[in-house]
Every structure is written in structure tokens, then in C-alpha cells.
């Protein structure tokens, strides 16, 4: 089992296969975070929040897009 802070109530958990953002499989919370982290919108959101906190508010979209390129 992976370590972390997820709480899983086995009586309310559905172990069946799921489709989440186009991905099919048997997912746990870590899998969902991995899928979300690969989304362009998530990268831009987190980048923008960090930039606003540490640099200045309301960065230009071009700055955020350049910072999120691989």
C-alpha cells in the first residue's frame, strides 16, 4: 500500500473500473492525482498560483504558458 493521507472507507468504496478524463482503469486517489497533473489546465493553474504568490499578481498568459512548456 502506498503511504499518504487518503482516507478510504471500504464500505463506501466502489472497486470497479472507472473512466476519468478519458482514462479507463481501477483508480485510487494517487492515480487520480497523476491523471490530473498531466492536464494542461492543471499545470497552468498551479503555475499561475505559485507565480502570483511568489512574484506578482496576475501574470500575463504568455508568461504562464512559457513556464508550463516541457
Amino acid at each position: 500500500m502506498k503511504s499518504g493521507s487518503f482516507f478510504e472507507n471500504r464500505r463506501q468504496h466502489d472497486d470497479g473500473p472507472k473512466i476519468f478524463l478519458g482514462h479507463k482503469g481501477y483508480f485510487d486517489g494517487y492515480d487520480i492525482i497523476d491523471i490530473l497533473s498531466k492536464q494542461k489546465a492543471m499545470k497552468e493553474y498551479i503555475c499561475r498560483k505559485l507565480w502570483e504568490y511568489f512574484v506578482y499578481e496576475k501574470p500575463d498568459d504568455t508568461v504562464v504558458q512559457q513556464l508550463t512548456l516541457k
Side-chain angles (χ1 to χ4, degrees), residues 43-55:
K43 292 176 185 178
E44 290 178 0
Y45 176 81
I46 290 173
C47 178
R48 184 177 303 280
K49 289 295 185 182
L50 289 169
W51 189 271
E52 289 175 346
Y53 185 82
F54 289 110
V55 185

Side-chain angles (χ1 to χ4, degrees), residues 32-48:
I32 298 300
I33 290 172
D34 287 341
I35 293 169
L36 287 171
S37 69
K38 294 174 184 169
Q39 302 299 308
K40 185 175 191 270
M42 178 71 132
K43 292 176 185 178
E44 290 178 0
Y45 176 81
I46 290 173
C47 178
R48 184 177 303 280

